[in-house]
């Protein structure tokens, strides 16, 4: 234990759910698939009435996630996009958001093609440049959404500087912590109001569930997010809640291997004659390397790299054997994708090219296989 006698984050992860089932003493907290619950009498409740509003398995998971991030309340959803959609419903027509330009294409899609029609505006900015973020703030700006490291180019935003900027302008400060998880990055320490996860990724970690998370810094905002979730119904079913509880227990071990492998692969890729650029914050010449060392405890398991032509990129994807050509990230299996066509395909081509998301850019979610086996597969795929 630490000097404060509080168990470490790694230990709390392993102990998620333990001791919560007092009736049986079950180490693995049970799945409660019930849709509804009996009441003892009129005006009396067990604490549960309808599973959309609350479920025992979901409650244990949400309490654990709030504790792990250091927030007041967590809500879990059926996907990361369900979590973000619910969060965007917090805003009103005429409001404006400043958003990272280096972000998941699905976030861009829901803002540009759904919420823009409802009157919620968004400006996409290089959030690694605090001055650019400040310049994008207007009278109707209500929030900043930053994804760091970015997706897919792994840009690193200064969370402390952006937090100070949000306080100055009284903006809701939202940080997507999917890539690094609470083990490696603590957004609330830098003033964040809401932390977002696609729990499908590292928190789930096995490519066998789809989930999203919102964690609120304070109870009042947490209650507002819960109200929106309960009103619109974007909940995570109890079976998937249990899968996520199980997965959290091994997060620390998995991340350790993801990172070690990613560092090894990034260094190897830099030496390959067909590779023209590697984007990984763990490389010393990455623009965000020093900042990452200050504000995070690691560099994560994601990297992207650019090859010398689109033809080489497509050839590599077709020839993969061990690595899967597949979307998503953060699972134990290595996955590689072509962001310009897949994950970021909904971003207009001119904007993609401006950002550097061309068809020569490959994104690699580095798994926990033996690093030399992953390298061997990349070597044969790149020819």
């Amino acid at each position: 234990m630490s000097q404060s006698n509080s168990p470490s984050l790694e230990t709390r992860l392993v102990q998620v759910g333990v001791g919560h089932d007092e009736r049986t003493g079950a180490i693995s907290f049970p799945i409660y698939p019930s849709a509804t619950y009996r009441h003892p009498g009129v005006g009396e409740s067990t604490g549960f009435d309808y599973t959309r509003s609350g479920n025992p398995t979901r409650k244990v998971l949400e309490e654990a996630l709030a504790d792990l991030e250091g927030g007041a309340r967590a809500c879990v959803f059926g996907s990361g996009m369900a979590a973000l959609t619910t969060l965007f419903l917090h805003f009103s027509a005429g409001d404006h958001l400043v958003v990272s330009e280096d972000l998941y294409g699905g976030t861009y899609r829901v803002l540009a093609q759904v919420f823009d029609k409802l009157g919620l505006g968004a400006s996409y900015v290089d959030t690694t440049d605090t001055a650019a973020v400040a310049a994008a703030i207007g009278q109707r700006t209500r929030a900043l959404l930053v994804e760091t490291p970015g997706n897919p180019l792994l840009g690193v935003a200064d969370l402390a500087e952006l937090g100070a900027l949000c306080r100055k302008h009284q903006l809701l400060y939202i940080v997507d912590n999917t890539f690094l998880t609470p083990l490696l990055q603590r957004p609330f320490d830098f003033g964040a109001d809401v932390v977002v996860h696609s729990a499908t990724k590292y928190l789930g970690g096995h490519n066998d569930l789809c989930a999203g998370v919102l964690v609120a810094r304070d109870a009042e905002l947490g209650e507002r997010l819960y109200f929106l979730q309960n009103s619109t119904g974007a909940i995570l079913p109890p079976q998937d809640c249990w899968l996520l509880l199980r997965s959290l227990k091994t997060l620390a071990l998995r991340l350790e291997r993801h990172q070690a492998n990613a560092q090894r692969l990034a260094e190897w890729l830099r030496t390959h004659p067909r590779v023209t650029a590697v984007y990984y914050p763990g490389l010393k010449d990455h623009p965000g390397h020093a900042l990452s060392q200050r504000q995070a405890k690691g560099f994560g398991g994601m990297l992207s790299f650019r090859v010398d032509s689109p033809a080489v990129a497509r050839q590599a994807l077709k020839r993969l054997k061990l690595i899967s050509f597949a979307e998503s990230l953060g699972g134990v299996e290595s996955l590689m994708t072509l962001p310009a066509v897949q994950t970021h395909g909904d971003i207009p081509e001119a904007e993609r090219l401006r950002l550097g998301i061309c068809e020569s850019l490959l994104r690699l979610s580095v798994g926990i296989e033996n690093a030399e086996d992953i390298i061997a597969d990349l070597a044969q795929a790149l020819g």
Side-chain angles (χ1 to χ4, degrees):
M1 291 191 180
S2 65
Q3 292 181 350
S4 64
N5 293 323
S6 176
S8 67
L9 195 57
E10 292 84 353
T11 297
R12 278 150 50 206
L13 280 163
V14 173
Q15 293 292 316
V16 162
V18 177
H20 286 268
D21 186 2
E22 296 180 355
R23 187 174 66 85
T24 69
I27 297 298
S28 176
F29 190 80
I31 303 170
Y32 284 81
S34 184
T36 191
Y37 306 84
R38 295 177 65 181
H39 297 300
V42 176
E44 300 177 37
S45 173
T46 62
F48 301 95
D49 52 34
Y50 189 61
T51 278
R52 172 169 45 78
S53 301
N55 174 279
T57 313
R58 194 167 93 228
K59 181 174 184 287
V60 169
L61 173 62
E62 289 176 337
E63 289 175 348
L65 289 166
D67 171 65
L68 294 170
E69 278 288 5
R73 185 166 189 169
C75 296
V76 293
F77 299 81
S79 69
M81 289 311 305
L84 279 172
T85 297
T86 303
L87 177 59
F88 295 149
L89 290 172
H90 173 67
F91 302 100
S92 302
D95 287 350
H96 172 257
L97 311 179
V98 176
V99 182
S100 293
E101 64 181 14
D102 185 14
L103 87 166
Y104 172 52
T107 307
Y108 178 92
R109 178 178 59 230
V110 77
L111 284 171
Q113 299 184 32
V114 178
F115 281 96
D116 183 68
K117 296 178 182 178
L118 302 176
L120 179 62
S123 297
Y124 303 91
V125 179
D126 178 4
T127 46
T128 68
D129 182 350
T130 305
V133 176
I137 296 171
Q139 291 185 343
R140 299 293 299 176
T141 304
R142 298 290 178 264
L144 168 65
L145 168 58
V146 57
E147 189 170 332
T148 185
N151 180 7
L153 294 169
L154 285 299
V156 180
D158 191 319
L159 290 174
E161 285 189 1
L162 293 177
L165 189 65
C166 286
R167 289 191 297 274
K168 177 181 177 181
H169 293 277
Q170 297 183 313
L171 304 181
L172 193 72
Y173 187 18
I174 307 161
V175 178
D176 189 322
N177 203 25
T178 296
F179 273 23
L180 293 186
T181 83
L183 270 175
L184 301 182
Q185 186 165 264
R186 312 286 295 171
F188 288 133
D189 291 350
F190 301 96
D193 298 298
V194 181
V195 174
V196 182
H197 288 275
S198 172
T200 310
K201 313 305 192 291
Y202 286 102
L203 297 185
H206 294 79
N207 291 316
D208 58 6
L209 73 104
C210 193
V213 181
L214 296 178
V215 186
R217 167 189 284 277
D218 64 65
E220 183 179 357
L221 180 56
E223 182 64 25
R224 167 66 175 166
L225 297 177
Y226 168 72
F227 167 80
L228 291 168
Q229 180 189 41
N230 189 42
S231 299
T232 58
I235 61 166
L236 186 66
Q239 290 86 353
D240 288 344
C241 289
W242 182 87
L243 276 175
L244 188 49
L245 279 168
R246 173 220 59 182
S247 298
L248 290 173
K249 293 173 179 287
T250 61
L251 177 61
L253 290 173
R254 289 187 281 110
L255 268 183
E256 184 178 335
R257 184 60 170 263
H258 283 301
Q259 290 192 97
N261 282 357
Q263 186 72 40
R264 174 77 179 93
L265 262 71
E267 292 170 355
W268 177 83
L269 282 165
R270 296 179 72 182
T271 68
H272 197 284
R274 306 307 295 265
V275 175
T276 61
V278 180
Y279 305 90
Y280 182 62
L283 295 174
K284 291 183 179 180
D285 59 355
H286 185 282
H289 179 76
L291 177 58
S292 291
Q293 289 181 309
R294 294 197 303 271
Q295 70 182 21
K297 294 181 179 179
F299 304 110
M302 292 299 302
L303 62 86
S304 291
F305 61 99
R306 203 178 301 278
V307 292
D308 52 14
S309 75
V312 170
R314 289 174 181 267
Q315 167 199 283
L317 291 168
K318 192 172 183 64
R319 293 176 62 175
L320 290 172
K321 295 179 181 178
L322 174 69
I323 302 166
S324 293
F325 173 26
E327 299 191 37
S328 199
L329 58 97
V332 292
E333 303 91 353
S334 293
L335 307 178
M336 196 156 76
T337 187
L338 189 66
V341 175
Q342 294 177 289
T343 56
H344 293 67
D346 285 310
I347 298 176
E349 182 180 12
E351 181 67 5
R352 286 200 312 268
L353 293 176
R354 184 187 70 81
L355 295 172
I357 306 173
C358 66
E359 293 194 26
S360 297
L361 180 75
L362 294 163
R363 190 189 73 183
L364 177 60
S365 174
V366 183
I368 65 170
E369 304 94 344
N370 183 291
E372 299 310 311
D373 292 333
I374 306 173
I375 287 173
D377 193 30
L378 283 173
Q380 67 81 23
L382 290 169

